[in-house]
Amino acid sequence: MDVPNVPLSLCYKSSESEAEFKAPTLTVHFKGADVKLDAAHTFVRASEEAVCFAFAPTKSISIYGNLSQMDFLVGYDKKKQTVSFKPTDCTK
């Protein structure tokens, strides 16, 4: 479905609320870790009638965006050169 003024290309017709919208869990694979993302971390409401997959291809770099990091504590260990993700409820 094409949604005017929305740069995302994979959109679906859906009038369900964000809490009701169901999509499969997506697993992002990092070296040494996997992060599971539900629909709230992978889809955005683009209009009253549509939701869009919030990932887009690029030719040069990969960006792990803020929507995917929502409700995760992100740890950076500069000594070990690792990044960690801990699911959490950021409203508390």
Side-chain angles (χ1 to χ4, degrees):
M1 157 178 219
D2 287 329
V3 181
N5 302 316
V6 174
L8 300 169
S9 60
L10 190 56
C11 298
Y12 299 93
K13 188 173 186 173
S14 172
S15 58
E16 297 172 315
S17 71
E18 290 181 30
E20 296 171 325
F21 179 72
K22 302 291 182 221
T25 299
L26 179 98
T27 303
V28 180
H29 301 285
F30 292 98
K31 184 178 179 182
D34 293 335
V35 179
K36 294 186 183 301
L37 303 174
D38 60 21
H41 297 96
T42 54
F43 284 85
V44 293
R45 170 113 355 241
S47 73
E48 289 183 19
E49 309 171 330
V51 293
C52 297
F53 187 56
F55 284 60
T58 65
K59 293 184 181 197
S60 58
I61 62 171
S62 297
I63 298 172
Y64 191 70
N66 63 326
L67 185 66
S68 299
Q69 296 177 51
M70 183 176 64
D71 287 329
F72 283 90
L73 291 176
V74 181
Y76 302 92
D77 187 329
K78 292 171 70 175
K79 204 173 221 179
K80 293 181 184 176
Q81 295 187 337
T82 60
V83 177
S84 59
F85 299 92
K86 180 181 178 183
T88 191
D89 182 350
C90 292
T91 63
K92 296 179 181 180

